[in-house]
Amino acid sequence: MTQPQKHTWKTRLHEVIYEADTPAGKTFDVVLLILIFVSIILVMLESVAPMQAQYGDYFYLGEWIITIFFTIEYILRVISIKKPSSYIFSFYGLIDLISTIPLYLSFFIVGTNALLTIRALRLLRVFRILKVTRYIGEGNKLARALRDSRPKILVFLFAVMILSIIAGTLMYIVEGPEHGFKSIPVSIYWCIVTLTTVGFGDIAPVTALGQFIATVIMVVGYGIIAVPTGIVSAEMAKGERKEPEPQKLHMNTQVCHH
Amino acid sequence: MTQPQKHTWKTRLHEVIYEADTPAGKTFDVVLLILIFVSIILVMLESVAPMQAQYGDYFYLGEWIITIFFTIEYILRVISIKKPSSYIFSFYGLIDLISTIPLYLSFFIVGTNALLTIRALRLLRVFRILKVTRYIGEGNKLARALRDSRPKILVFLFAVMILSIIAGTLMYIVEGPEHGFKSIPVSIYWCIVTLTTVGFGDIAPVTALGQFIATVIMVVGYGIIAVPTGIVSAEMAKGERKEPEPQKLHMNTQVCHH
Amino acid sequence: MTQPQKHTWKTRLHEVIYEADTPAGKTFDVVLLILIFVSIILVMLESVAPMQAQYGDYFYLGEWIITIFFTIEYILRVISIKKPSSYIFSFYGLIDLISTIPLYLSFFIVGTNALLTIRALRLLRVFRILKVTRYIGEGNKLARALRDSRPKILVFLFAVMILSIIAGTLMYIVEGPEHGFKSIPVSIYWCIVTLTTVGFGDIAPVTALGQFIATVIMVVGYGIIAVPTGIVSAEMAKGERKEPEPQKLHMNTQVCHH
Amino acid sequence: MTQPQKHTWKTRLHEVIYEADTPAGKTFDVVLLILIFVSIILVMLESVAPMQAQYGDYFYLGEWIITIFFTIEYILRVISIKKPSSYIFSFYGLIDLISTIPLYLSFFIVGTNALLTIRALRLLRVFRILKVTRYIGEGNKLARALRDSRPKILVFLFAVMILSIIAGTLMYIVEGPEHGFKSIPVSIYWCIVTLTTVGFGDIAPVTALGQFIATVIMVVGYGIIAVPTGIVSAEMAKGERKEPEPQKLHMNTQVCHH
């Protein structure tokens, strides 16, 4: 920015990769976004057994093409920035690395037992989706409202935790392992399933006393659900009153390369 | 409107069909509404196997009567408007067409395999219910509050999508196909079922680690449910403060025929 | 009220029964409340098979005692009021009648088939609980907020209905009777179970397309849940701003006997 | 506080135990918090059958160490306070006692039948977690908003209770014991499970009429969920407007020992 006349290849590359103002930069970003989505759809389709059986080879080919592109992108990002460590150890730098290496690892690790681990590692490429958040303005009101409500939400989560531990222990005593409440941790899991009104039904109270306690937990959960909503509502209403300017989902990739 | 003395049959027809101010127009609208509801109840009852077996013939007769009425209505709407294309290609024009033709199609398409397709097409007459929305004032505050919150709701849906993809992949790795998490898309389906606190229980985590991740997903979902509520609450409270005039469910069918 | 010196037995009886200001009136109300609760607990316990088998005779005795008391109360209410019809055909008058007669009916109706009907009728005594609402101030802010939001809530319920009918029909076409979506009404039932985030899991989509549509329904339901909450929140916040006086759960049984 | 020069051992002990301002007091509090968490994790792990089988002896040892520490803490708290009864009969005093004695009781009570009771009693040590709430500022806004909304929440809970009793009885009449609605209390349990949108699915309506009533209950529950949220939102928004000072999760253990 200080010496705009010195347009070395490094500066130009930086502009294309890190900024979205020039036509080349915009094209780069769009191609990147498409590849991220293709890569995630590939990960998903590979996990569907009948699809993997039929199109497995194409998926493997597609993965290699994408991995090579992301490898080149990673190397270019590292060499085009003045202080490589500021990118490598940043949040997005780590995601780029984690989402690129699993396929290479499959060459170095061998053995049937290790293959399962590699398979799991390859699935981690799904984290590439977090790169998309790069293109959403981070300074938006929503995130701010959540951040401002943090102390209240912590108190709330703490209350939920205490309630679940006590209610879970009571349900374990009352219902016992013979009705699915195998241990206190499982009972606490059931309590959170109930308090959050999810209610899978894989475990459900059977005894009269257990059903009564469950009723109390549900009514309390019903009251508790009001608390975080109230917190966020109040926080957002406050924000609305303070800043009436419109807020849009905008792309902002302008990063200073110094 | 410019020459009120020129009351040709076309103008009068337009008034009856498109406007609800004259007694004839009001009667037309009420008859139309009743026929729409009868038509939808017919579609529903036909799908109940024992009812179809017993009263199938009456249902078929009723459908023909209604279809003929809607056909006449469609033709009249087309000929009574000055610019037919403005009706034919409008949202309600397309619904009118889609909700009328399936029965006629059953004459042209034959063969046992095609019959299933026709059966499905005939069910699409249920879309006629969307014609009812014609009679609800569209400019109401609710729709406006939702429209104003759109950018925030998009960011929110995007966050839910990213969370579901990552959590779904983790659950697929942890629980695996042997516990119902057959593939990543199924795991993502389970994640959304859990995040929205629906919790069918057709799939539920079995391993300790899976139940722990499920607990985290539920508590996060619990916090997330607060966000859209907060957005709409704040938006409506803002609306309330700005415009204190009463808002009613009103009928407004006044349409200029020019 | 006009001639306070004319304290006939009827006027005094009216004061005891209809008003709660005198010590006698207060005692009457407390006894009535206790008997209502005893009566409802009796109805509940009778339905528990092992309890009915063991204590059936005591329950029957208790019911007769309570029914006789409520009969006397009903007769006194009718004779102590100046215009009996204003009580008999009022909401509470009808509840008093419905909650008292079932036991007497069991004498007049005989036959094994009719006994089942009587059994169901006897359970209707549970409606006595609505008499308790007499003791809650009706003019409270909550009811007012709900009443004021009625037009908006109607639009909202209408939207839910249209959405359920269309989504229910689609799910019936996609999943079909072989996966539990037996008919369109059952599919609509499933849709409402899903939209309201209850999610029993007695019916759940099995096909990939069905699960995808279910996902869309859930996310939409997630957004929809925000609407009534936003409506009530905004309405209450408005109420709070207008009337800052404290609001309590108060007993108000003062009724003019003219 | 009146005579700061009289630093007897009792006064110093009181400062360490009851106050958190001196370094010794802070260390005491941190050690206490860690021991509470260790104690609760022990209770949980003991309930997991395979863990109890393998590490049972270590768990037993750990429990004794913790119980002895809590016993000493209890005795010190009693002797260091001027009016022991004010601690013993306080909320936290009773929790301290209940969470400490179960292990000692296992010596005095013998017999296989009594052992089950002791096992349940030992689990009650989980109540120790309530001691953690001591370290959360009680005067926070959240608790105040909930306390201020109490009358409204009571009216709301009362409405839910009346609705559940009536709807539960209707479902019992309609569905009956053959579809899982065994008795009215079980039907009421099902109603609350449905109204709170938990929906376990252990009991679900099967008949057409039952499913229709369930639909009505769910839509009403959907509307009802808006009420407590609206109450808390409005109450918090009011609080926000009144007191704009920041609110933090703070530790406040300053207690006057007089």
Side-chain angles (χ1 to χ4, degrees):
Chain A
M1 297 278 176
T2 46
Q3 295 141 298
Q5 71 281 11
K6 205 182 107 193
H7 267 288
T8 64
W9 65 271
K10 240 182 170 179
T11 323
R12 288 205 55 198
L13 196 67
H14 183 277
E15 241 166 51
V16 169
I17 293 174
Y18 285 94
E19 290 169 41
D21 298 335
T22 56
K26 263 191 190 131
T27 312
F28 177 84
D29 277 343
V30 168
V31 170
L32 197 66
L33 270 173
I34 290 167
L35 276 167
I36 288 171
F37 279 113
V38 168
S39 141
I40 286 159
I41 287 162
L42 269 181
V43 170
M44 284 187 201
L45 293 182
E46 272 175 64
S47 76
V48 183
M51 287 211 145
Q52 175 62 19
Q54 215 173 342
Y55 308 106
D57 293 343
Y58 299 102
F59 291 161
Y60 193 66
L61 184 71
E63 265 190 47
W64 269 111
I65 293 166
I66 286 161
T67 299
I68 287 163
F69 179 89
F70 282 124
T71 309
I72 293 165
E73 188 223 344
Y74 187 76
I75 292 164
L76 292 182
R77 273 188 194 277
V78 169
I79 59 169
S80 74
I81 206 163
K82 282 224 170 135
K83 239 180 87 195
S85 67
S86 75
Y87 165 70
I88 292 169
F89 299 107
S90 74
F91 181 63
Y92 293 124
L94 289 171
I95 286 168
D96 283 349
L97 193 68
I98 289 167
S99 65
T100 311
I101 47 167
L103 204 58
Y104 294 114
L105 284 176
S106 62
F107 283 117
F108 303 107
I109 309 165
V110 279
T112 41
N113 207 6
L115 270 169
L116 281 166
T117 318
I118 294 162
R119 211 171 144 255
L121 275 170
R122 277 166 69 179
L123 294 173
L124 293 177
R125 278 161 303 151
V126 94
F127 278 100
R128 264 177 209 147
I129 205 168
L130 286 173
K131 291 171 79 175
V132 175
T133 56
R134 240 185 251 185
Y135 300 97
I136 302 166
E138 283 172 299
N140 73 62
K141 222 184 281 180
L142 237 143
R144 216 179 325 133
L146 279 177
R147 204 166 40 243
D148 289 357
S149 328
R150 204 166 37 187
K152 277 180 228 154
I153 284 173
L154 275 179
V155 171
F156 164 73
L157 283 182
F158 195 74
V160 168
M161 198 188 78
I162 290 176
L163 193 64
S164 306
I165 289 174
I166 290 174
T169 308
L170 282 179
M171 286 306 281
Y172 173 70
I173 295 171
V174 169
E175 291 278 334
E178 62 271 27
H179 298 135
F181 294 80
K182 280 193 303 178
S183 63
I184 293 179
V186 167
S187 280
I188 290 170
Y189 158 73
W190 175 85
C191 259
I192 290 172
V193 168
T194 305
L195 267 176
T196 54
T197 78
V198 173
F200 286 130
D202 52 343
I203 308 165
V206 176
T207 64
L209 184 57
Q211 291 183 337
F212 177 74
I213 297 174
T215 303
V216 172
I217 293 171
M218 280 178 270
V219 172
V220 168
Y222 209 77
I224 279 178
I225 215 165
V227 175
T229 311
I231 291 167
V232 177
S233 290
E235 206 68 45
M236 295 197 94
K238 207 175 61 177
E240 290 287 339
R241 237 171 286 133
K242 268 195 268 170
E243 325 136 79
E245 78 277 17
Q247 189 74 18
K248 280 180 210 139
L249 178 71
H250 64 287
M251 281 177 71
N252 179 10
T253 62
Q254 190 76 30
V255 176
C256 183
H257 69 287
H258 289 284
Chain B
M1 295 277 176
T2 47
Q3 295 143 299
Q5 70 280 11
K6 205 180 107 193
H7 267 287
T8 64
W9 64 270
K10 241 183 171 176
T11 323
R12 288 207 54 198
L13 196 67
H14 183 276
E15 241 166 51
V16 170
I17 293 174
Y18 285 93
E19 289 168 42
D21 297 335
T22 56
K26 265 192 189 129
T27 312
F28 177 84
D29 277 342
V30 168
V31 169
L32 197 66
L33 271 174
I34 291 167
L35 277 168
I36 288 170
F37 279 113
V38 168
S39 142
I40 285 159
I41 288 162
L42 269 181
V43 170
M44 284 187 202
L45 293 182
E46 271 174 64
S47 77
V48 183
M51 286 210 146
Q52 175 62 18
Q54 215 174 345
Y55 308 106
D57 294 343
Y58 299 101
F59 291 160
Y60 193 66
L61 184 71
E63 265 190 47
W64 269 112
I65 293 166
I66 286 161
T67 299
I68 287 163
F69 179 90
F70 282 124
T71 309
I72 293 165
E73 188 223 343
Y74 187 77
I75 293 164
L76 291 182
R77 273 189 194 277
V78 170
I79 60 170
S80 75
I81 206 163
K82 282 225 171 135
K83 238 179 86 194
S85 67
S86 73
Y87 164 70
I88 292 169
F89 299 106
S90 73
F91 180 63
Y92 293 124
L94 290 171
I95 286 168
D96 283 350
L97 193 68
I98 289 167
S99 65
T100 311
I101 48 167
L103 203 58
Y104 294 114
L105 284 176
S106 63
F107 283 118
F108 303 107
I109 309 166
V110 279
T112 40
N113 205 6
L115 269 170
L116 281 167
T117 319
I118 293 161
R119 211 172 144 254
L121 275 170
R122 276 167 70 180
L123 293 173
L124 292 177
R125 277 162 304 150
V126 94
F127 278 100
R128 265 177 208 147
I129 205 169
L130 286 173
K131 292 172 78 175
V132 176
T133 55
R134 241 186 251 184
Y135 300 97
I136 303 166
E138 283 172 297
N140 72 63
K141 222 183 283 181
L142 237 143
R144 214 177 328 133
L146 279 177
R147 204 165 40 242
D148 289 357
S149 327
R150 205 166 36 186
K152 277 179 228 156
I153 284 173
L154 275 178
V155 171
F156 164 74
L157 283 182
F158 194 73
V160 168
M161 198 188 78
I162 290 176
L163 194 63
S164 306
I165 290 174
I166 290 174
T169 308
L170 281 179
M171 287 306 281
Y172 173 70
I173 295 170
V174 168
E175 291 278 333
E178 62 271 26
H179 298 137
F181 294 80
K182 280 192 303 178
S183 62
I184 292 180
V186 167
S187 279
I188 290 171
Y189 158 74
W190 175 85
C191 259
I192 290 173
V193 167
T194 304
L195 267 176
T196 53
T197 77
V198 173
F200 285 130
D202 52 344
I203 308 166
V206 176
T207 64
L209 184 58
Q211 290 183 338
F212 177 74
I213 297 173
T215 302
V216 173
I217 294 171
M218 279 178 271
V219 171
V220 169
Y222 209 77
I224 278 178
I225 215 165
V227 175
T229 313
I231 292 166
V232 176
S233 291
E235 207 68 46
M236 295 197 94
K238 206 175 64 177
E240 290 288 341
R241 238 171 285 131
K242 268 196 268 170
E243 325 137 79
E245 77 277 16
Q247 188 74 15
K248 280 180 209 140
L249 177 70
H250 65 287
M251 282 175 71
N252 180 10
T253 61
Q254 191 76 30
V255 177
C256 184
H257 69 287
H258 288 285
Chain C
M1 295 280 177
T2 46
Q3 295 142 299
Q5 69 281 11
K6 205 181 111 194
H7 267 287
T8 64
W9 65 271
K10 240 182 171 176
T11 322
R12 289 206 53 199
L13 195 65
H14 182 276
E15 240 165 51
V16 169
I17 293 174
Y18 285 93
E19 289 169 42
D21 297 335
T22 57
K26 264 190 190 129
T27 313
F28 177 84
D29 278 343
V30 168
V31 170
L32 197 66
L33 270 174
I34 290 166
L35 276 168
I36 288 170
F37 279 112
V38 168
S39 142
I40 286 159
I41 287 162
L42 269 181
V43 170
M44 284 187 202
L45 293 182
E46 272 176 63
S47 76
V48 184
M51 286 212 145
Q52 175 63 17
Q54 214 174 343
Y55 308 106
D57 293 343
Y58 299 101
F59 291 161
Y60 194 66
L61 184 72
E63 265 191 46
W64 268 112
I65 294 166
I66 285 161
T67 300
I68 287 163
F69 179 90
F70 281 124
T71 310
I72 293 165
E73 188 222 342
Y74 187 77
I75 293 164
L76 291 182
R77 273 190 195 275
V78 169
I79 60 170
S80 74
I81 205 163
K82 281 225 170 134
K83 238 181 88 194
S85 67
S86 73
Y87 165 68
I88 292 170
F89 299 106
S90 73
F91 180 63
Y92 293 124
L94 290 172
I95 286 168
D96 283 349
L97 192 68
I98 289 167
S99 65
T100 310
I101 48 167
L103 204 59
Y104 294 114
L105 284 177
S106 63
F107 283 117
F108 303 107
I109 308 166
V110 279
T112 42
N113 205 5
L115 269 170
L116 280 167
T117 318
I118 294 161
R119 209 171 145 257
L121 276 170
R122 275 167 70 181
L123 294 173
L124 293 177
R125 276 161 305 150
V126 94
F127 277 100
R128 263 178 209 147
I129 205 168
L130 286 173
K131 291 171 80 175
V132 176
T133 56
R134 241 186 251 185
Y135 299 98
I136 302 167
E138 282 173 297
N140 72 62
K141 221 183 283 182
L142 236 144
R144 216 177 328 131
L146 279 177
R147 202 165 41 244
D148 289 357
S149 328
R150 205 165 36 187
K152 277 180 229 156
I153 285 173
L154 275 178
V155 171
F156 164 73
L157 283 182
F158 195 74
V160 168
M161 198 188 78
I162 290 175
L163 193 65
S164 306
I165 289 174
I166 291 174
T169 307
L170 281 180
M171 287 304 281
Y172 172 70
I173 296 170
V174 168
E175 290 279 333
E178 62 272 26
H179 297 136
F181 294 79
K182 280 193 304 178
S183 63
I184 293 181
V186 167
S187 279
I188 290 170
Y189 157 75
W190 175 85
C191 260
I192 290 172
V193 167
T194 304
L195 267 177
T196 53
T197 78
V198 172
F200 285 130
D202 52 344
I203 308 166
V206 176
T207 63
L209 184 58
Q211 291 183 337
F212 177 74
I213 297 174
T215 303
V216 173
I217 294 171
M218 280 179 270
V219 171
V220 168
Y222 208 77
I224 279 179
I225 216 166
V227 175
T229 311
I231 291 167
V232 177
S233 290
E235 207 68 47
M236 295 197 95
K238 205 175 65 176
E240 290 287 340
R241 237 171 286 134
K242 267 196 269 169
E243 324 138 78
E245 77 277 15
Q247 190 72 17
K248 281 181 210 138
L249 178 71
H250 65 286
M251 281 177 71
N252 179 10
T253 62
Q254 190 75 30
V255 176
C256 183
H257 69 287
H258 288 285
Chain D
M1 297 278 176
T2 45
Q3 295 142 299
Q5 70 280 11
K6 207 180 107 193
H7 267 288
T8 64
W9 64 273
K10 241 182 170 175
T11 322
R12 289 206 53 199
L13 196 66
H14 182 276
E15 241 167 51
V16 170
I17 292 174
Y18 285 94
E19 290 169 42
D21 297 336
T22 57
K26 263 190 191 133
T27 313
F28 177 83
D29 278 343
V30 169
V31 170
L32 197 66
L33 271 174
I34 291 167
L35 277 168
I36 288 171
F37 279 112
V38 168
S39 141
I40 286 159
I41 288 161
L42 269 181
V43 170
M44 284 187 202
L45 293 181
E46 272 175 64
S47 76
V48 184
M51 286 212 145
Q52 175 63 17
Q54 214 174 344
Y55 308 106
D57 293 343
Y58 299 101
F59 292 160
Y60 194 65
L61 184 71
E63 266 190 45
W64 269 112
I65 293 166
I66 286 162
T67 299
I68 287 163
F69 180 90
F70 281 124
T71 310
I72 294 165
E73 188 222 343
Y74 187 77
I75 293 165
L76 290 182
R77 274 188 193 277
V78 169
I79 59 170
S80 74
I81 207 163
K82 281 223 171 138
K83 239 181 87 194
S85 67
S86 75
Y87 164 69
I88 292 169
F89 299 108
S90 73
F91 180 63
Y92 292 124
L94 289 172
I95 286 168
D96 283 350
L97 193 68
I98 289 167
S99 65
T100 311
I101 48 167
L103 204 58
Y104 294 114
L105 284 176
S106 62
F107 283 117
F108 302 107
I109 309 165
V110 279
T112 42
N113 206 7
L115 269 171
L116 281 167
T117 319
I118 294 162
R119 210 171 144 255
L121 275 170
R122 276 167 69 180
L123 294 173
L124 293 177
R125 276 161 304 150
V126 94
F127 278 100
R128 264 177 210 148
I129 205 169
L130 286 173
K131 291 170 80 175
V132 175
T133 56
R134 240 186 252 183
Y135 300 97
I136 303 167
E138 283 173 298
N140 73 63
K141 221 184 282 182
L142 236 144
R144 214 178 327 131
L146 280 177
R147 202 164 43 243
D148 288 358
S149 328
R150 204 166 36 189
K152 277 179 227 155
I153 284 172
L154 275 178
V155 171
F156 164 74
L157 284 182
F158 195 75
V160 168
M161 198 187 79
I162 290 176
L163 193 64
S164 305
I165 289 174
I166 290 174
T169 308
L170 282 180
M171 287 305 280
Y172 172 70
I173 295 170
V174 169
E175 290 279 333
E178 63 272 25
H179 298 136
F181 294 80
K182 280 193 304 179
S183 63
I184 292 180
V186 167
S187 280
I188 290 170
Y189 157 74
W190 175 85
C191 260
I192 290 173
V193 167
T194 304
L195 267 176
T196 53
T197 78
V198 173
F200 285 131
D202 51 344
I203 308 166
V206 176
T207 64
L209 184 57
Q211 291 183 336
F212 177 73
I213 297 174
T215 303
V216 173
I217 294 171
M218 280 179 270
V219 171
V220 169
Y222 209 77
I224 279 178
I225 215 165
V227 175
T229 311
I231 292 167
V232 176
S233 290
E235 206 68 46
M236 294 196 94
K238 206 174 64 176
E240 289 287 340
R241 238 172 286 133
K242 268 196 266 170
E243 325 137 76
E245 77 277 17
Q247 189 74 17
K248 282 182 209 135
L249 177 71
H250 65 286
M251 281 176 70
N252 179 10
T253 62
Q254 190 74 31
V255 177
C256 184
H257 70 286
H258 289 285

